[in-house]
Amino acid sequence: MEFRDLKKQYQVLKTKIDAGIADVLASARFISGPQVKELEQRLADYVGVKHCITCANGTDAITLGLMAWNIGEGDAIFVPDFTFFSSGECPAYEGATPIYVDVERESFNMDPDKLEAAIRKLLAEGKYVPKAVISVDLFGRPADYSRIRAICDKYGLYLMEDAAQGFGGSIDGHMACSFGDISTTSFFPAKPLGCYGDGGAIFTDNDEWAALIRSLTVHGKNGNDKYDNIRIGMNSRLDTLQAAILLPKLDAFEKYEVADVNAVAAKYNRLLENSCLELPIIPEGVVSSWAQYTVILPEGVDRVALQTKMKEAGIPTMVYYAKPMHLQGAFSGTDSAAADCPVTEYLCGHVLSLPIHPYMEGSDIELVCRKLLEYINV
Ligand SMILES: *Cc1c(COP(=O)(O)O)cnc(C)c1O
């Protein structure tokens, strides 16, 4: 059994993906070919925002957004403590100080009450200027944007939605990647919408930031002239090959993959309800894109031993994430390390992610649940 079965997806979409790759090879327009523009338009339409700018990966997407806001030394950026490293790495890379905020046990996402408390504490201390919130849609579930947006407005902070895991999710029909002033995603192969290498995208309704980010992705070019460089930028573009691979994958994603992966999650929920596990909760009106199906194990379960037994039964499992951001070695000795995040610390010790993808067979879901409950109860 695969944790996320990309081979199976390729078998289903092979004819279209192979044809798309062949077109790019024949045209030899490997950089900024017409497929890139087409994809950007399709992604912007799908999300319902004015601008989509593709780039080299989801980490660059966050960095490019922060560059557009001129984030740097002395600025504080609020980031959930329970996330992939990039969410906090990018503000630190720009010289700013990530301030880690604890998450809610029920949603795995940034706790709005704790966000507001962290902002007030920072303002009282006066050492840094609060500038932005990077909110993460962890495991595919969009964060609580009505509350986070209200807090950002109250304190005059920019809101960035890191939807690397959230693309395809929604709240009351509003799509993930539309909730931030700038939103970002990743097309890393195992993300909800993945390409066959690295890729990413930035979304915004703001014309000025869109133009600025477009320039920053190509060495700070002046308009369309990449040899007239008016600012310090990066080289961060999505390859034409990856755009050609993503176009048919986006078709499948829209037509059935998001629905199918939700059916897999629903079956997990049914088979695991009334067990000793805490299951992921998706509120009414919210759609998850199920980047992960993550359960919380009860006290006293030896997670390492459990994973070993599952592996012996042919079932891969993963721990996302084993270490809170504020305890990562890269932040030791900095003000980012001084976070108070007991929920994150608890989750890091107790979460377990199970195999999930749109092509997962019902019999495999049943096997995972049977083995998991059997091994937990011994
Ligand atoms: C994967 C991920 C990223 C980074 O995306 P890459 O394309 O791997 O650079 C950023 N944030 C979160 C929450 C992620 O899961």
Side-chain angles (χ1 to χ4, degrees):
M1 194 184 305
E2 301 272 336
F3 190 72
R4 192 164 193 95
D5 200 339
L6 298 173
K7 292 175 200 150
K8 197 157 169 186
Q9 184 196 41
Y10 175 59
Q11 286 314 313
V12 173
L13 302 175
K14 186 177 189 321
T15 313
K16 283 180 182 162
I17 289 174
D18 289 358
I21 291 173
D23 282 349
V24 178
L25 298 186
S27 75
R29 295 186 62 184
F30 299 114
I31 303 290
S32 307
Q35 292 87 340
V36 177
K37 270 267 151 309
E38 185 186 344
L39 178 72
E40 288 178 342
Q41 189 58 54
R42 293 255 336 257
L43 291 168
D45 291 346
Y46 177 74
V47 168
V49 298
K50 207 163 159 193
H51 304 284
C52 169
I53 302 123
T54 53
C55 64
N57 55 69
T59 306
D60 280 4
I62 299 171
T63 296
L64 286 158
L66 296 173
M67 286 171 84
W69 290 338
N70 209 16
I71 298 299
E73 208 176 322
D75 296 337
I77 313 295
F78 301 90
V79 179
D81 199 35
F82 193 54
T83 182
F84 179 64
F85 193 60
S86 294
S87 316
E89 179 182 29
C90 300
Y93 186 77
E94 290 302 300
T97 300
I99 302 294
Y100 292 113
V101 176
D102 210 358
V103 298
E104 301 170 316
R105 181 163 168 160
E106 302 72 39
S107 68
F108 303 115
N109 286 328
M110 183 184 265
D111 183 328
D113 290 330
K114 290 183 180 161
L115 169 63
E116 182 156 22
I119 295 169
R120 296 174 78 94
K121 180 164 176 275
L122 205 90
L123 285 168
E125 287 166 359
K127 186 170 175 190
Y128 298 104
V129 182
K131 279 283 177 69
V133 172
I134 298 180
S135 173
V136 178
D137 301 338
L138 204 74
F139 305 148
R141 174 178 163 171
D144 187 349
Y145 286 106
S146 60
R147 293 193 61 207
I148 292 172
R149 166 60 71 190
I151 293 166
C152 287
D153 288 351
K154 183 170 168 189
Y155 294 94
L157 306 181
Y158 294 126
L159 174 57
M160 182 179 287
E161 178 187 4
D162 174 359
Q165 301 182 18
F167 189 82
S170 60
I171 303 174
D172 297 329
H174 299 284
M175 300 303 291
C177 287
S178 73
F179 298 112
D181 297 306
I182 290 176
S183 302
T184 64
T185 197
S186 163
F187 304 123
F188 181 84
K191 305 284 174 166
L193 178 64
C195 62
Y196 289 168
D198 280 309
I202 299 134
F203 298 84
T204 185
D205 280 323
N206 184 299
D207 299 342
E208 195 185 319
W209 294 338
L212 191 52
I213 290 167
R214 181 79 65 194
S215 162
L216 290 168
T217 59
V218 187
H219 309 288
K221 65 177 177 174
N222 187 6
N224 283 327
D225 186 352
K226 77 180 249 201
Y227 300 103
D228 181 16
N229 310 94
I230 53 175
R231 56 180 65 87
I232 301 300
M234 308 169 68
N235 174 21
S236 186
R237 293 173 293 220
L238 184 74
D239 291 342
T240 312
L241 275 171
Q242 299 302 345
I245 289 159
L246 280 165
L247 281 166
K249 290 189 80 174
L250 179 58
D251 283 333
F253 190 77
E254 282 190 70
K255 278 193 195 124
Y256 60 85
E257 283 187 357
V258 176
D260 288 358
V261 80
N262 270 279
V264 173
K267 183 162 176 123
Y268 266 131
N269 286 341
R270 251 188 339 270
L271 293 174
L272 295 175
E273 70 182 357
N274 306 322
S275 72
C276 57
L277 300 164
E278 277 175 62
L279 305 183
I281 298 164
I282 307 299
E284 190 74 31
V286 177
V287 174
S288 174
S289 56
W290 296 105
Q292 306 296 341
Y293 186 91
T294 302
V295 300
I296 306 175
L297 301 174
E299 287 296 344
V301 172
D302 181 341
R303 188 170 58 182
V304 174
L306 175 63
Q307 286 192 276
T308 305
K309 280 193 202 164
M310 294 292 279
K311 193 175 170 197
E312 282 163 9
I315 301 166
T317 58
M318 304 288 278
V319 173
Y320 297 122
Y321 294 93
K323 201 185 251 195
M325 289 292 282
H326 78 276
L327 294 179
Q328 292 287 358
F331 296 111
S332 80
T334 73
D335 288 342
S336 302
D340 175 27
C341 298
V343 177
T344 297
E345 285 175 27
Y346 184 86
L347 290 173
C348 287
H350 294 82
V351 286
L352 188 69
S353 299
L354 308 178
I356 191 166
H357 56 87
Y359 302 88
M360 192 166 179
E361 302 281 355
S363 55
D364 280 347
I365 306 167
E366 285 159 18
L367 181 68
V368 173
C369 295
R370 196 165 61 244
K371 291 293 173 192
L372 184 61
L373 295 178
E374 181 187 325
Y375 297 148
I376 273 180
N377 290 325
V378 292

